[in-house]
Amino acid sequence: MPEPVRPEGPERAEGPGGYDPVGPRRHEAVSPTGQGGAMDLALEEAESLEKGPGPGPAGGTGAQEKARSLWSDAWHQLRRNPVFVVSSLLILFLIVISIWPQLIAGGDPLQCDLSKSQQGASPGHPFGYDTQGCDVYTRTVYGARASITVGICATLGAALLGSALGGLAGFFGGWSDSLLSRVADIFFGIPVVLGGLVFLSVVTSDTVWPVVGFIVLLGWPQIARIARGSVITAKQNDYVQAARALGAGNGRMLLRHVAPNAVAPVIVVATIALGTYIALEATLSFLGVGLRPPTVSWGIDISNAAPQIRNAPHMLLYPAGALSLTVLAFIMLGDAVRDALDPKLR
């Protein structure tokens, strides 16, 4: 019986009959069985692991992909969400026409003709005329400017003020946290509509800034409470404790480690609140204490059209529809952002 052929290389101990108990060397090729099955699959997986990650056919990284951060993963989810896409396009359209309303409305919202009072739709005037003979379509388009301005400015002011106060109170705790909580409880106890009637009735300005200031005054406690709870949760994480053990100061920990990981809930709440603030501005303008003429506002137009709802329903239908669509777009955007930033909701 001929002796088994041994591969070249250093000698190894063999069992009876030339059987190698250690198995084939690393550089020896193991031939597949040719019948598929588990052994061939295991051999293919082993070869792929030995090769390691490499450029795939499309120039990628192969089987292993680079881990995405919270924000990149959220953006990846948002791009696939049709609710986010539709609401974003609608909000973008509203922002564009609030900045350049003359793109789709060539008339003057303050130019009126009493001879056309409460007339219906006509060529060039698809929404008809209001009580003063003003073009409803032009006023509806120009009314987006005041509502979007109030909503964005009030949201930014409430978010910045509430985040700063709530974040500092939640990070340092102690008497500052207790003081903020009691002050926030006082503002929560003020009815929004009643507070607007009292606060704005003594203001004589015709600009949007008194309304923005009032909304910020009553809107920051909600965001402050959200920011406080998020900061308290974030500062208990291990990486914050490790930074504190390494000698990092309070400012560095708050700005570099706590704030970036606590801002997501604030963004979600602020996005949803923006639509609520637009509706609040229209409510105050409807009651006569918000924006005042000659400012063009959906709330003012709805207030003027309410007594004539039976005779000329078109005067109320279009500005009310534009207001509802705008509020709905921002609420849908906030829901989509919340679903993307909260892993528990995926």
Side-chain angles (χ1 to χ4, degrees):
M1 179 176 180
E3 297 182 358
V5 179
R6 300 181 179 180
E8 298 180 1
E11 297 291 335
R12 292 189 297 174
E14 296 181 353
Y19 171 71
D20 189 353
V22 179
R25 296 180 182 133
R26 291 184 177 274
H27 66 275
E28 295 183 56
V30 180
S31 60
T33 61
Q35 300 178 358
M39 181 175 292
D40 291 347
L41 292 175
L43 291 175
E44 293 177 0
E45 293 178 357
E47 291 177 358
S48 62
L49 291 175
E50 288 180 0
K51 293 178 181 179
T61 57
Q64 297 181 353
E65 295 183 358
K66 185 179 179 180
R68 294 192 295 261
S69 63
L70 172 64
W71 300 105
S72 60
D73 188 50
W75 174 244
H76 180 74
Q77 296 291 333
L78 287 174
R79 288 183 300 176
R80 299 184 174 185
N81 191 345
V83 175
F84 172 78
V85 175
V86 173
S87 60
S88 298
L89 292 177
L90 181 57
I91 291 173
L92 180 61
F93 171 74
L94 291 171
I95 293 176
V96 170
I97 66 171
S98 64
I99 299 175
W100 301 289
Q102 62 274 11
L103 293 177
I104 60 174
D108 186 358
L110 302 179
Q111 183 178 1
C112 306
D113 186 0
L114 286 175
S115 62
K116 300 179 180 179
S117 176
Q118 299 184 11
Q119 292 184 6
S122 62
H125 306 277
F127 293 175
Y129 299 88
D130 62 5
T131 305
Q132 301 296 326
C134 302
D135 184 16
V136 177
Y137 171 77
T138 304
R139 292 187 63 86
T140 301
V141 172
Y142 276 81
R145 174 178 296 177
S147 298
I148 296 296
T149 302
V150 170
I152 293 178
C153 294
T155 302
L156 290 177
L160 293 176
L161 181 60
S163 299
L165 296 179
L168 293 175
F171 184 79
F172 293 103
W175 66 268
S176 61
D177 189 11
S178 301
L179 179 62
L180 176 73
S181 300
R182 301 294 76 80
V183 173
D185 291 339
I186 294 174
F187 281 95
F188 275 121
I190 302 176
V192 177
V193 177
L194 180 59
L197 291 173
V198 174
F199 179 82
L200 296 175
S201 61
V202 298
V203 178
T204 59
S205 176
D206 295 334
T207 63
V208 300
W209 303 116
V211 180
V212 171
F214 169 75
I215 296 177
V216 171
L217 183 64
L218 294 186
W220 71 265
Q222 178 187 10
I223 297 182
R225 183 165 291 184
I226 298 297
R228 172 185 173 274
S230 183
V231 167
I232 290 176
T233 302
K235 75 175 184 179
Q236 298 175 356
N237 292 327
D238 294 336
Y239 55 85
V240 179
Q241 302 300 327
R244 186 186 300 274
L246 292 175
N250 291 330
R252 180 178 179 83
M253 286 190 298
L254 182 60
L255 296 178
R256 296 291 300 274
H257 302 288
V258 176
N261 295 280
V263 72
V266 176
I267 294 177
V268 173
V269 174
T271 306
I272 297 177
L274 201 155
T276 306
Y277 295 159
I278 292 177
L280 178 59
E281 176 272 321
T283 303
L284 296 174
S285 300
F286 177 84
L287 295 175
V289 296
L291 300 180
R292 297 179 174 88
T295 304
V296 181
S297 170
W298 290 330
I300 297 176
D301 291 346
I302 294 173
S303 178
N304 295 332
Q308 306 297 332
I309 187 173
R310 293 184 178 181
N311 300 328
H314 66 275
M315 295 171 49
L316 178 64
L317 177 63
Y318 294 109
L323 175 64
S324 301
L325 193 62
T326 303
V327 175
L328 178 62
F330 281 103
I331 292 178
M332 290 170 55
L333 179 65
D335 289 340
V337 173
R338 180 195 59 188
D339 295 342
L341 292 178
D342 191 353
K344 298 179 182 178
L345 299 177
R346 297 176 187 171

